[in-house]
């Protein structure tokens, strides 16, 4: 195709790629990204990227009246008007000859005092208005004066234009051969193929907006879809996306931009590998940290980061991410960036970062717990020999270890007892992970500590709530605490012991009935409704339990029953 025709086609195509008509826009974006962009030379790609970046920046800043599509749309309208006028005036041939640059000049079309400058380099046309009107009018006038000889020269002109087009086409082919594979040395390139965001099972999906938020999202998305699609072909363009993200502080706009790259980041992670995909975000601009956190959350998806090896590589790369000025490492300055890969760190690192993470909002704490549990699952992929070679402190925390760590976490003004209670609740809610065996392991570790933690009894109580089949084991733990005279450890432990025993019910009743009389009296007075069940059990099993006479009398008194003849005789004997 002639350069001018190619130029007009490119202008029209990128213009349609930001159309407000969905089907037009989607087809145009697909055409540009799949076919046109990969066939363009370096200059053509630069122009396409510049247009897409301009649309992105206009969408983010809200200056849509000054976006590139306005200028291109005006140029296309003027070109259309000039073409219609040329057809009516019978001077179409002269316009084509002039536009093709026959005399070495840029094309110029005269309409209503307007002109559209089209050059052979493939750059987007810029409307020139009156600035080039005189020149264009002169050329058109000259072509009209020579219209009488146009018929005689037609064959020669066509031959000359065809020859020139062949030469230019050959140059374009050579340029394509040199630039088609890579835009710049060191840039990541994605293999040619259909640009389809095929969702794989397990991929995270962008959030759906409603109402006015949906309207704003549609307005911005139609302007940035082309740039996002080009990032798929040329991932280095993500630098421009990060800069646009950092340029706005509007939370809604940032959320839309984050949603726009959900599928892109996951696909790049799948193709390049999670660590290499994260490299694309290196030297991020100030203010773009939330976008990197969002990208890292997507890259740790188990469908992408599907082995412990990949996770360790991602950790190493995450630790190396720094800002564009090289002033600080994001990993060391923002705990939110640590959370997605927290579970793949060593035990020592996890405990260190947990102190800060626990002071954050519940949403971040929830993500941190999930990250640790996922990391523990991938740690099981190691062979037994690898586990033996790797020191314990360098291995990830296992679920039971996490619960023990939380219970033993030192308290401070930021990390209160209630903070730890809330975090352990997140753990208990994961019934698929905190099974009976895992909870037994955690309770055992807590019981053998030289100083029992304050949350020990709460852990035992919640374990019974979430895994009732653990009652027999908890009853044995209560027996051990009774032997240690738990009532001397403080009201917190003693009251927790009573609550836990009543929660366990029948398996714990024999332990309660063996308590010294003062403590048993406290147990009976603690909760009358629960005590009634204990009394009923004791009266039904008095002989089998071989209870001391004093205990039997206390139970009967609690039951409100008059003493039996045997009890009166025993009491009289004691009186004498």
């Amino acid at each position: 195709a002639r350069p001018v025709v190619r130029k007009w086609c490119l202008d029209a195509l990128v213009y349609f790629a930001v159309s407000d008509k969905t089907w037009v826009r989607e087809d145009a974006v697909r055409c540009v990204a799949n076919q046109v962009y990969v066939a363009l030379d370096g200059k053509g790609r630069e122009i396409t990227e510049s247009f897409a970046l301009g649309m992105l920046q206009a969408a983010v800043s809200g200056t849509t009246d000054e976006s590139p599509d306005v200028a291109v749309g005006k140029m296309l309208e003027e070109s259309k008007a000039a073409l219609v006028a040329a057809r009516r005036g019978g001077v179409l041939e002269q316009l084509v000859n002039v536009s093709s640059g026959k005399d070495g000049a840029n094309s110029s079309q005269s309409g209503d005092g307007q002109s559209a400058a089209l050059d052979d380099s493939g750059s987007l046309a810029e409307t020139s208005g009156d600035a080039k009107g005189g020149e264009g009018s002169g050329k058109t006038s000259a072509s009209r004066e020579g219209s009488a000889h146009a018929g005689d020269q037609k064959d020669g002109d066509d031959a000359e234009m065809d020859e020139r087009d062949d030469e230019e086409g050959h140059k374009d082919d050579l340029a394509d051969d040199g630039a088609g594979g890579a835009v710049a040395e060191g840039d990541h390139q994605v293999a040619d193929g259909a640009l389809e965001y095929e969702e794989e099972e397990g991929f995270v999906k962008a959030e759906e907006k409603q109402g006015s938020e949906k309207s704003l999202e549609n307005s911005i998305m139609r302007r940035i879809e082309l740039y996002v699609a080009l990032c798929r072909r040329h991932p280095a363009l993500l630098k421009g996306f990060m800069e646009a993200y950092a340029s706005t502080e509007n939370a809604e706009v940032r959320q839309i931009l984050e949603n726009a790259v959900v599928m892109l980041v996951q696909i790049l992670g799948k193709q390049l590998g999670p660590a290499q995909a994260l490299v694309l975000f290196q030297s991020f601009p100030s203010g773009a940290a939330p976008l990197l956190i969002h990208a890292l959350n997507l890259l740790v998806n188990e469908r992408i980061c599907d082995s412990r090896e990949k996770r360790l590589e991602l950790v190493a790369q995450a630790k190396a991410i720094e800002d564009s000025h090289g002033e600080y490492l994001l990993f060391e300055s923002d705990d939110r960036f640590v959370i997605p890969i927290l579970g793949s760190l060593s035990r020592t690192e996890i405990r260190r970062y947990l102190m800060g993470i626990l002071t954050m909002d519940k949403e971040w704490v929830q993500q941190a717990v999930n990250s640790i549990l996922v990391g523990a699952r991938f740690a099981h992929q190691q062979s037994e020999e690898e586990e033996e070679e790797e020191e314990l402190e360098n291995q990830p925390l296992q679920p039971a270890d996490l619960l023990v760590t939380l219970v033993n976490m030192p308290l401070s003004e930021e990390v209160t007892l209630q903070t730890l209670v809330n975090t352990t609740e997140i753990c208990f809610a994961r019934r698929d992970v905190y099974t009976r065996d895992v909870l037994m392991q955690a309770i055992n570790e807590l019981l053998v500590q030289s100083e029992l933690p304050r949350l020990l009894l709460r852990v035992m109580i919640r374990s019974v709530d979430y895994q009732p089949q653990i009652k027999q084991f908890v009853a044995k733990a209560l027996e051990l605490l009774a032997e240690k005279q738990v009532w001397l450890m403080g009201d917190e432990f003693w009251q927790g012991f009573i609550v836990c025993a009543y929660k366990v019910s029948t398996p714990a009743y024999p332990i309660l009935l063996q308590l010294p009389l003062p403590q048993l009296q406290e147990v009976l007075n603690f909760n009358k409704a629960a005590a009634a069940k204990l009394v009923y059990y004791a009266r039904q099993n008095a002989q089998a339990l071989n209870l001391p006479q004093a205990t039997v009398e206390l139970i009967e008194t609690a039951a409100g029953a008059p003493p039996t003849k045997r009890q009166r005789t025993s009491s009289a004997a004691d009186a004498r």
Side-chain angles (χ1 to χ4, degrees):
R2 295 187 176 92
V4 174
V5 176
R6 287 203 305 270
K7 173 60 187 59
W8 283 343
C9 290
L10 181 59
D11 283 347
L13 200 52
V14 295
Y15 178 72
F16 292 140
V18 294
S19 171
D20 56 1
K21 294 181 174 59
T22 304
W23 68 273
V24 173
R25 182 175 66 254
E26 290 179 349
D27 285 350
V29 168
R30 189 178 297 110
C31 181
V32 171
N34 286 352
Q35 300 170 352
V36 175
Y37 183 76
V38 295
L40 290 172
D41 59 10
K43 182 64 174 178
R45 289 187 175 189
E46 180 183 344
I47 297 305
T48 305
E49 292 167 4
S50 177
F51 175 87
L53 180 59
M55 292 301 302
L56 170 65
Q57 293 170 338
V60 171
S61 64
T63 56
T64 54
D65 292 340
E66 303 173 8
S67 58
D69 62 325
V70 175
V72 174
K74 183 179 179 182
M75 180 276 297
L76 291 176
E77 288 296 328
E78 291 174 351
S79 298
K80 179 180 177 181
L83 183 61
V84 171
R87 284 176 176 171
R88 290 174 179 173
V91 292
L92 178 59
E93 181 179 327
Q94 288 83 347
L95 281 174
V96 172
N97 287 339
V98 172
S99 298
S100 65
K102 181 176 180 180
D103 298 324
N106 289 338
S107 65
S108 179
Q109 298 174 332
S110 61
D112 301 327
Q114 302 281 340
S115 63
L118 305 173
D119 57 9
D120 291 343
S121 66
S123 62
L124 291 177
E126 297 179 357
T127 56
S128 57
D130 296 335
K132 294 185 180 180
E135 181 182 351
S137 299
K139 291 180 180 178
T140 304
S141 175
S143 65
R144 285 177 177 172
E145 290 176 1
S147 61
H149 304 287
D152 297 335
Q153 297 179 354
K154 185 174 187 294
D155 295 338
D157 290 344
D158 288 344
E160 181 182 346
M161 292 177 66
D162 290 340
E163 182 179 351
R164 184 165 62 252
D165 287 344
D166 289 340
E167 292 176 359
E168 291 173 355
H170 179 63
K171 291 179 182 179
D172 288 345
D173 291 340
L174 292 177
D176 288 345
D177 290 340
V183 175
E185 185 177 353
D187 285 345
H188 292 273
Q189 291 295 316
V190 179
D192 291 345
L195 179 63
E196 299 292 347
Y197 286 171
E198 296 180 0
E199 298 181 11
E200 294 193 22
E201 183 180 354
F203 268 19
V204 178
K205 296 183 180 180
E207 295 181 9
E208 290 288 340
K209 300 293 183 182
Q210 302 294 335
S212 59
E213 290 185 354
K214 184 67 175 178
S215 177
L216 176 62
E217 182 180 43
N218 290 340
S219 175
I220 294 178
M221 284 300 297
R222 81 170 182 85
R223 293 178 170 86
I224 70 175
E225 281 180 359
L226 176 60
Y227 194 87
V228 174
L230 294 180
C231 288
R232 168 77 164 80
R233 284 295 180 197
H234 188 190
L237 294 176
L238 280 169
K239 295 289 185 185
F241 193 91
M242 287 191 289
E243 290 172 358
Y245 181 93
S247 69
T248 179
E249 296 182 357
N250 187 305
E252 288 185 29
V253 173
R254 285 193 165 196
Q255 181 66 54
I256 292 170
L257 294 180
E258 290 174 9
N259 285 343
V261 296
V262 165
M263 202 56 59
L264 170 66
V265 171
Q266 292 177 98
I267 289 176
L268 291 176
K270 194 73 172 176
Q271 292 182 342
L272 303 176
Q276 286 303 309
L278 189 60
V279 171
L280 299 171
F281 295 88
Q282 181 64 280
S283 300
F284 64 94
S286 176
L291 182 62
L292 270 75
I293 296 168
H294 176 65
L296 186 57
N297 265 311
L298 295 171
L299 291 174
V300 296
N301 186 317
E302 295 179 45
R303 296 286 298 180
I304 301 168
C305 212
D306 53 6
S307 68
R308 177 156 168 74
E309 231 177 353
K310 288 183 179 180
R311 288 180 173 270
L312 293 178
E313 291 174 357
L314 187 61
V315 167
Q317 183 55 51
K319 289 182 176 180
I321 293 292
E322 61 181 4
D323 70 313
S324 56
H325 302 294
E327 296 177 351
Y328 66 94
L329 296 172
L330 185 58
F331 193 84
E332 295 298 333
S333 60
D334 195 333
D335 286 344
R336 296 175 302 170
F337 191 65
V338 178
I339 289 175
I341 52 176
L342 182 64
S344 299
L345 302 180
S346 67
R347 296 181 176 214
T348 303
E349 290 177 304
I350 291 175
R351 293 188 181 107
R352 175 160 62 91
Y353 285 110
L354 264 179
M355 290 293 295
I357 292 172
L358 290 179
T359 64
M360 300 167 68
D361 293 339
K362 182 179 179 180
E363 175 189 354
W364 294 107
V365 176
Q366 175 90 49
Q367 290 185 28
V369 171
N370 290 338
S371 176
I372 294 173
L373 298 181
V374 170
R377 187 166 69 252
F378 277 98
H380 285 305
Q381 293 182 352
Q382 298 182 105
S383 64
E384 293 183 3
E385 294 180 0
E386 289 175 329
E387 288 183 358
E388 291 176 359
E389 292 176 359
E390 188 176 9
E391 295 182 4
L392 180 63
E393 283 303 309
N394 291 331
Q395 296 176 10
L397 281 179
Q398 295 301 313
D401 301 324
L402 172 59
L403 189 57
V404 172
T405 297
L406 291 173
V407 171
N408 289 321
M409 188 75 68
L411 301 180
S412 64
E413 292 184 3
E414 294 80 17
V415 181
T416 64
L417 191 64
Q418 188 59 48
T419 301
L420 299 182
V421 168
N422 295 339
T423 309
T424 55
E425 280 298 308
I426 296 174
C427 296
F428 287 125
R430 290 294 304 273
R431 296 172 186 262
D432 58 321
V433 176
Y434 284 89
T435 60
R436 172 179 175 273
D437 292 339
V438 171
L439 293 174
M440 287 171 58
Q441 179 185 346
I443 293 172
N444 263 332
E445 290 186 31
L446 294 173
L447 284 171
V448 298
Q449 293 181 7
S450 57
E451 184 177 349
L452 298 180
R454 293 176 63 183
L455 289 179
L456 169 62
L457 271 305
R458 180 174 179 81
V459 169
M460 293 167 61
I461 292 169
R462 300 306 283 161
S463 295
V464 174
D465 288 336
Y466 282 94
Q467 300 289 351
Q469 65 272 30
I470 203 176
K471 284 184 177 182
Q472 291 291 346
F473 173 81
V474 172
K476 292 181 180 179
L478 290 172
E479 185 175 8
L480 179 61
L481 290 174
E483 292 174 359
K484 292 183 178 183
Q485 297 184 328
V486 63
W487 52 88
L488 299 179
M489 298 179 185
D491 291 343
E492 195 172 37
F493 281 96
W494 174 230
Q495 292 178 9
F497 176 90
I498 298 174
V499 172
C500 185
Y502 278 141
K503 181 78 68 175
V504 173
S505 64
T506 304
Y509 287 162
I511 300 168
L512 294 177
L513 293 172
Q514 295 298 329
L515 293 173
L517 290 183
Q519 281 68 48
L520 178 56
Q521 183 67 63
E522 289 184 37
V523 170
L524 293 172
N525 294 337
F526 186 81
N527 185 322
K528 294 297 184 180
K533 296 180 180 179
L534 174 61
V535 169
Y536 177 81
Y537 174 86
R539 298 183 73 185
Q540 293 295 318
N541 300 277
Q543 292 183 351
L545 294 171
N546 193 24
L547 297 175
Q549 183 60 36
T551 300
V552 173
E553 291 179 2
L554 182 59
I555 292 296
E556 291 298 333
T557 301
T564 62
K565 181 178 179 181
R566 179 183 175 185
Q567 291 172 347
R568 288 196 299 269
T569 303
S570 176
S571 298
D574 292 340
R576 287 196 297 269

